[in-house]
Amino acid sequence: MPTKEKGLEDLFHDTLRDIYYAERKILKALPKMARGASSMELKAAFEKHRDQTEGHVERLQQVFALMDKPAKGKTCPAIDGILEEGEEILADFKGTAAGDAGLISAAQAVEHYEITRYGTLRRWAEIMKMPEAAELFAATLAEEETTDKDLTMLADSKANRQALAA
């Protein structure tokens, strides 16, 4: 008997599991990043984003429930690699003027990954006629985009210039 060809719903579920895994890993990484930050503004930004990320996980759990599927992650080598790079920056530059600039760059790599995933999931939810899921993804996407802009402002206002001056 031939196996059923996988379709968009399968891809959607697979990607949902991927970002669920990623968000849970990010939740664990953010306190380390906050501890490694020199500036109080960057520490506060990481702590704020940790609180937001808890909400992102809850929204993802709601989407799993809408699909009548268990909220279960799937190992995501992409986020593992991005977070590993962040750990390296933390280890190599902690306590230096470049440390905050490096942490911001690592955090933005995470944000850009998330923005890509949530934008895609939102579009798929729309065409799959899942308006509630699309709204949940849109809310998270807006927060991720705002976090990325906030990180850029922190980099431009202080961190990059301090790293350059060192």
Side-chain angles (χ1 to χ4, degrees), residues 41-109:
E41 298 93 346
L42 187 55
K43 282 181 191 298
F46 287 143
E47 288 164 2
K48 176 184 174 189
H49 196 58
R50 186 188 183 290
D51 293 344
Q52 283 182 332
T53 302
E54 288 176 344
H56 301 168
V57 169
E58 288 170 14
R59 286 185 195 129
L60 290 170
Q61 290 168 341
Q62 289 175 46
V63 176
F64 279 111
L66 288 170
M67 296 179 70
D68 210 19
K69 305 247 186 205
K72 187 174 175 210
K74 173 190 142 202
T75 301
C76 171
I79 204 66
D80 286 342
I82 292 169
L83 291 173
E84 189 177 308
E85 283 182 10
E87 293 269 346
E88 287 174 15
I89 288 169
L90 195 54
D92 294 347
F93 292 92
K94 187 174 181 185
T96 70
D100 281 359
L103 283 173
I104 290 169
S105 75
Q108 285 189 293

Side-chain angles (χ1 to χ4, degrees), residues 75-164:
T75 301
C76 171
I79 204 66
D80 286 342
I82 292 169
L83 291 173
E84 189 177 308
E85 283 182 10
E87 293 269 346
E88 287 174 15
I89 288 169
L90 195 54
D92 294 347
F93 292 92
K94 187 174 181 185
T96 70
D100 281 359
L103 283 173
I104 290 169
S105 75
Q108 285 189 293
V110 169
E111 292 309 310
H112 292 187
Y113 178 80
E114 291 175 301
I115 288 166
T116 301
R117 286 290 182 231
Y118 285 113
T120 298
L121 285 164
R122 185 194 71 215
R123 293 297 300 137
W124 288 345
E126 288 168 353
I127 68 168
M128 292 168 57
K129 307 285 189 246
M130 297 175 66
E132 196 175 336
E135 284 179 31
L136 291 165
F137 293 133
T140 299
L141 181 60
E143 289 175 359
E144 300 292 11
E145 289 170 338
T146 298
T147 297
D148 183 47
K149 287 180 183 131
D150 291 347
L151 289 166
T152 296
M153 286 178 23
L154 283 172
D156 289 347
S157 69
K158 192 162 96 173
N160 290 345
R161 282 199 295 278
Q162 287 178 335
L164 180 63

